[in-house]
Amino acid sequence: MNGLRILESKAAGATATIEEPNGPFKAFPSGLHHHLRPFFADITEEVVAAIRTEIPEYARPTDGMYMHVVHQGVEHALQGFLERMAKPDTDWEPVKATYQRIGRGEAEEGRSLDAFQSALRLGARVTWRRINALADADLLPRQVLAAFGEALFLHLDEMAAATTAGYTEARLHAAGELQQRRTRLVDLLIADPPASAAAISDLAHTAQWPVPRTLAVVVIDDGARAGASRPIVPPEFLARFDVRPAVLVVPDPEGPGRARAVAGALHGLRAVMGPSVALQEGARSLRWAAEALDLARRGVLPDTEMVHCRDHLATLLLFRDEALVEAMADRHLRPLDAIRPPQRQRLAETLLSWLQCGHNASEVATRLAVHPQTVRYRMRQLDELFGDRLHDPTTQFEMQLALRALNLRRAAEST
């Protein structure tokens, strides 16, 4: 009891300011840690038992190694507390590093911090209850309880903060590595010449991306994204927004809900989806999508948010080599050059409709909203210009291709 009276005297004279970083620890009378140390072995056992009983994630009574680790963790926390009582200005960084490693370990094991944080809070409650019991039994000066409580919860907060920092760092690092793998996987899927199926499968496994049977590549118009935030895409999609145009890889694009998911993710942006292709043919899907995007920018394809290549295959074919279309037009449509521009356009429009309608003048008249007699008059003019060539099937086919391409180009230039 003499030791207790000495501690009470020292506690009465303690004047440390607890608003300092280690203030609560400086408020303790010297020698208090020696007085408490014999009780901390029992406190450690009680904390471990409470954690095993009250937190399911730590209830592994048959796993001796795991329980040894838990016991060591509790003992380390309490001994660290006593050391701070003995030396309030002791360097906290090594202890902080320990709890950062614990946080990183929890992240690397794929666990959340919920159980660990619960264990910290439970340990603090048990410790605080036992310290109060010591004071009630006159084994501890009651004057130190306020400082002890504040020091205990400061210690708890700092351990929790260090653990969270380590956990967050590990999660960010893992997320960064995963994103790097996914970025490399995009490059592999659109490589030309194509990568091997084995290489794609191996990288897909490390990138946590289930390998699909088919895929489609979507390109996003950068010019239409001014001021727009980066799209949030479903996790099963692969994306690269650091290239121009931005690229999205859609697995099994014909699957249920896929079209809706793509449209939702890219709402408000002009984008083109290439054709569905086999796993190793992503370069082809990308190439078609990029060509279609160029045509959409020019106004040749519809100005809609999402253009699907599969709906415009003929147009893509026509504009694959525009010089070839020019040559075909020059060969088969040159007689129209002799006609004045306004009449030339009317005759070209009539000729295209006549070819598309199977030479039916009534259908041509309905399509062009003119009288059938007007159509017949124009066809007589065309017959005079082209002669027998107008009735040759091969020439008719090439005429239709050339007229269709010129018509699309003219419409785009007028917008």
Side-chain angles (χ1 to χ4, degrees):
M1 295 297 291
N2 288 336
L4 179 58
R5 283 195 292 271
I6 293 172
L7 285 174
E8 287 175 342
S9 176
K10 291 182 177 179
T15 57
T17 303
I18 61 176
E19 292 181 359
E20 299 174 12
N22 287 314
F25 291 97
K26 291 182 177 179
F28 292 129
S30 62
L32 180 62
H33 63 286
H34 286 307
H35 184 71
L36 284 175
R37 191 175 298 277
F39 301 105
F40 267 49
D42 289 340
I43 294 175
T44 298
E45 296 302 327
E46 189 171 339
V47 169
V48 171
I51 289 173
R52 290 175 56 181
T53 303
E54 299 185 32
I55 302 178
E57 290 84 351
Y58 290 93
R60 303 185 191 178
T62 59
D63 190 339
M65 178 59 70
Y66 184 79
M67 293 317 303
H68 176 69
V69 171
V70 172
H71 194 284
Q72 271 194 328
V74 173
E75 191 174 57
H76 185 81
L78 291 174
Q79 291 304 319
F81 183 81
L82 283 177
E83 288 172 12
R84 295 183 77 181
M85 289 180 66
K87 298 179 181 178
D89 293 322
T90 189
D91 186 5
W92 167 249
E93 289 305 313
V95 181
K96 179 180 176 182
T98 297
Y99 284 97
Q100 287 175 335
R101 285 196 298 273
I102 291 173
R104 286 194 290 270
E106 293 293 295
E108 289 164 3
E109 291 294 326
R111 294 188 291 265
S112 76
L113 277 184
D114 294 344
F116 185 81
Q117 303 283 26
S118 296
L120 286 180
R121 290 191 294 270
L122 179 58
R125 289 202 307 272
V126 171
T127 303
W128 178 239
R129 185 168 63 240
R130 285 298 305 271
I131 292 299
N132 273 274
L134 291 175
D136 291 340
D138 292 329
L139 297 173
L140 186 68
R142 189 165 292 279
Q143 296 96 313
V144 303
L145 286 181
F148 193 99
E150 185 149 356
L152 179 63
F153 289 102
L154 172 66
H155 192 61
L156 170 72
D157 287 345
E158 290 176 342
M159 287 191 297
T163 307
T164 301
Y167 184 87
T168 303
E169 177 191 347
R171 290 292 297 270
L172 289 174
H173 181 71
E177 285 191 344
L178 182 63
Q179 185 55 51
Q180 288 178 3
R181 294 189 193 109
R182 288 181 160 233
T183 296
R184 292 199 301 271
L185 182 56
V186 172
D187 293 340
L188 209 60
L189 289 168
I190 61 177
D192 189 14
S196 69
I200 293 174
S201 180
D202 289 346
L203 185 53
H205 176 73
T206 62
Q208 300 177 21
W209 190 67
V211 177
R213 291 188 305 107
T214 60
L215 59 83
V217 179
V218 177
V219 293
I220 303 167
D221 188 4
D222 305 302
R225 298 186 67 232
S229 59
R230 176 174 292 189
I232 299 175
V233 300
E236 64 269 25
F237 293 179
L238 299 174
R240 283 204 65 176
F241 295 109
D242 58 333
V243 294
R244 297 292 178 268
V247 172
L248 191 69
V249 176
V250 181
D252 294 323
E254 308 299 330
R258 274 291 190 263
R260 185 169 60 253
V262 175
L266 301 181
H267 179 67
L269 304 174
R270 178 193 287 154
V272 178
M273 179 180 281
S276 298
V277 296
L279 186 65
Q280 295 173 259
E281 297 181 6
R284 177 162 64 89
S285 187
L286 172 63
R287 183 173 63 252
W288 289 20
E291 291 174 2
L293 177 60
D294 181 61
L295 294 178
R297 287 169 172 164
R298 291 169 54 187
V300 174
L301 292 181
D303 186 18
T304 57
E305 284 190 2
M306 177 61 70
V307 175
H308 291 268
C309 286
R310 68 190 179 201
D311 299 331
H312 305 282
L313 297 179
T315 302
L316 284 169
L317 180 63
L318 281 176
F319 283 82
R320 172 58 63 85
D321 190 337
E322 294 187 58
L324 189 60
V325 173
E326 292 282 0
M328 194 159 48
D330 183 64
R331 179 182 179 189
H332 296 297
L333 302 179
R334 184 178 294 178
L336 288 173
D337 293 343
I339 308 299
R340 290 177 300 172
Q343 186 182 6
R344 181 194 312 151
Q345 185 170 338
R346 288 194 293 270
L347 287 177
E349 185 180 48
T350 301
L351 177 56
L352 177 59
S353 295
W354 180 73
L355 293 168
Q356 291 174 332
C357 294
H359 312 165
N360 187 311
S362 297
E363 289 187 23
V364 174
T366 301
R367 174 177 292 194
L368 299 180
V370 298
H371 196 279
Q373 191 62 35
T374 302
V375 174
R376 295 187 183 95
Y377 171 71
R378 292 178 184 174
M379 288 309 303
R380 284 195 294 272
Q381 288 181 288
L382 290 167
D383 206 37
E384 291 175 2
L385 286 171
F386 291 96
D388 292 340
R389 287 179 294 171
L390 193 61
H391 304 283
D392 176 68
T394 300
T395 302
Q396 287 180 4
F397 175 71
E398 295 187 1
M399 277 183 171
Q400 186 171 344
L401 291 178
L403 288 165
R404 171 66 177 165
L406 295 175
N407 194 45
L408 286 169
R409 185 187 299 168
R410 188 184 307 111
E413 291 171 351
S414 66
T415 57

